[in-house]
Amino acid sequence: MRNTAATRWVLGCDEAGYGPNLGPLVIAGTLWQLPGTLEPDDAYRHLAAIVGGQATRAAGRGGCPLVADSKTLYRGPRGLEHLERGVLASLGAMGHWPASAWQAWRMLAPSSAPLVRFLAWYREDFPLPIAADRGLIEQAAADLRSALAEAHIELAAIRARAIFEEQFNRLCLLRGSKSTVLSEATLVLVRKLLKPFGGAVTEVLCDKHGGRGRYTAVLARFFPGRFCAVRAEGRGESRYWLAPGLEFRFASKAERYVPVALASMVAKYLRELAMHALNRFWQSQVPGLRPTAGYPADARRFKREIAAARQALGIAETALWRYK
């Protein structure tokens, strides 16, 4: 792992599952080392060009960019395939190859993995990949690894954490809003990712949290004793400098930056693994049940249709249904 004055460490964070009533909220972060000779936005464009070049080489094989905003990738009948190819190829470029859903949870979100095993509707393990072609994943991983090495860029870490339904309800009640829950959960993950790297990380990039414009109070709680200067606070971006040299940027449409885009993909992929297990579990209890993505209108239909089975199993509604 390189660590010189000519490098810049950047952490990108994003979430999946902020709006649904079913399934977990998942927050992910990706940590990158970029050439420090470039200004920040130039460095991000450089990284996008590198990943874009790799994606262009893979386009004929996979038919879709390797790394992009998860909402862009997860469209149409091949959405899961494209999402899975990008996430597993990125892990493969780091030498990590999860063979099953449980392995993916343990590798990416170790603090959340025990609840996946504990909650009946997430417990089923299944092999990976579930939609993408393994050969295309392996080739994309090799291409990405070579492209990053040639550009002196390192993808150093990928981590996530999930907040499952009952905990989500409890935290929303305690904190007063789900945007506060998201901000606090994100900063818990940020602190864990920053810890092994000391003061090397110079910038944290996040998508805006539920439209929140001000973050000084939550930053002060999670980084006590560090002087915090407000650089900008507005609809498009809120930016803060924490002594002795860490900048936070909360930006609208931050998925345009590769570190955030890959974080959004990882969060979405883990959530989709959870929803895959959830649907399979309830379909085993209610014959003919149509699967759900967990978003409000269809989630209400799903809740009605599983109500009798849920009560028979002794599962409380609060354990399964998110109220905000």
Side-chain angles (χ1 to χ4, degrees), residues 6-321:
T7 60
R8 170 182 287 109
W9 289 84
V10 177
L11 172 59
C13 296
D14 205 2
E15 55 77 23
Y18 184 72
N21 294 112
L22 293 169
L25 168 66
V26 184
I27 303 101
T30 69
L31 183 61
W32 300 75
Q33 191 178 45
L34 306 174
T37 53
L38 299 173
E39 290 301 312
D41 284 350
D42 290 335
Y44 302 137
R45 283 191 287 270
H46 183 57
L47 176 58
I50 295 300
V51 174
Q54 191 283 329
T56 299
R57 289 193 293 273
R61 298 186 292 268
C64 188
L66 190 67
V67 176
D69 177 8
S70 62
K71 292 184 286 295
T72 300
L73 290 179
Y74 197 74
R75 289 178 179 170
R78 297 181 65 189
L80 180 57
E81 174 190 347
H82 296 153
L83 180 71
E84 184 170 55
R85 180 173 64 97
V87 171
L88 295 185
S90 298
L91 286 171
M94 302 169 66
H96 304 316
W97 298 98
S100 73
W102 283 357
Q103 286 187 20
W105 279 103
R106 288 196 297 269
M107 184 179 296
L108 291 168
S111 65
S112 304
L115 268 179
V116 175
R117 300 289 295 270
F118 175 77
L119 295 170
W121 50 97
Y122 297 130
R123 189 177 299 158
E124 181 189 3
D125 196 16
F126 42 87
L128 299 181
I130 56 177
D133 179 84
R134 184 177 297 276
L136 295 181
I137 293 169
E138 292 173 353
Q139 184 60 59
D143 289 348
L144 179 59
R145 186 185 307 113
S146 297
L148 293 177
E150 185 178 348
H152 305 290
I153 293 172
E154 181 180 2
L155 174 54
I158 303 175
R159 286 291 182 273
R161 65 178 303 226
I163 301 177
F164 294 95
E165 300 91 337
E166 195 161 31
Q167 182 188 16
F168 183 87
N169 289 332
R170 188 169 62 250
L171 288 173
C172 285
L173 184 63
L174 183 65
R175 299 305 187 198
S177 73
K178 66 180 184 179
S179 66
T180 299
V181 171
L182 173 59
S183 294
E184 293 185 351
T186 299
L187 291 179
V188 167
L189 180 64
V190 166
R191 286 199 311 191
K192 287 184 178 179
L193 273 162
L194 293 182
K195 188 174 180 180
F197 297 90
V201 180
T202 56
E203 186 167 4
V204 179
L205 281 165
C206 301
D207 201 41
K208 286 249 182 175
H209 294 166
R212 177 186 292 269
R214 297 181 179 179
Y215 299 84
T216 49
V218 70
L219 287 171
R221 284 202 301 276
F222 283 86
F223 295 90
R226 297 182 67 166
F227 173 75
C228 178
V230 179
R231 294 279 178 84
E233 283 184 334
R235 181 175 297 180
E237 183 174 271
S238 298
R239 185 182 297 200
Y240 307 88
W241 183 82
L242 272 65
L246 178 62
E247 186 172 68
F248 275 83
R249 294 172 65 183
F250 299 88
S252 298
K253 303 187 184 303
E255 300 92 344
R256 65 187 182 273
Y257 302 117
V258 169
V260 180
L262 182 56
S264 78
M265 291 170 59
V266 171
K268 178 66 172 174
Y269 185 60
L270 284 177
R271 179 175 159 81
E272 287 307 307
L273 295 184
M275 295 306 295
H276 184 76
L278 180 148
N279 279 303
R280 286 167 64 98
F281 173 81
W282 289 108
Q283 286 172 325
S284 73
Q285 304 296 320
V286 181
L289 178 69
R290 288 184 290 114
T292 184
Y295 288 86
D298 191 57
R300 288 191 289 272
R301 181 272 308 173
F302 193 88
K303 184 175 76 164
R304 286 194 306 271
E305 294 179 0
I306 67 168
R310 176 184 60 75
Q311 292 167 7
L313 292 168
I315 297 172
E317 185 178 287
T318 55
L320 184 70
W321 183 259

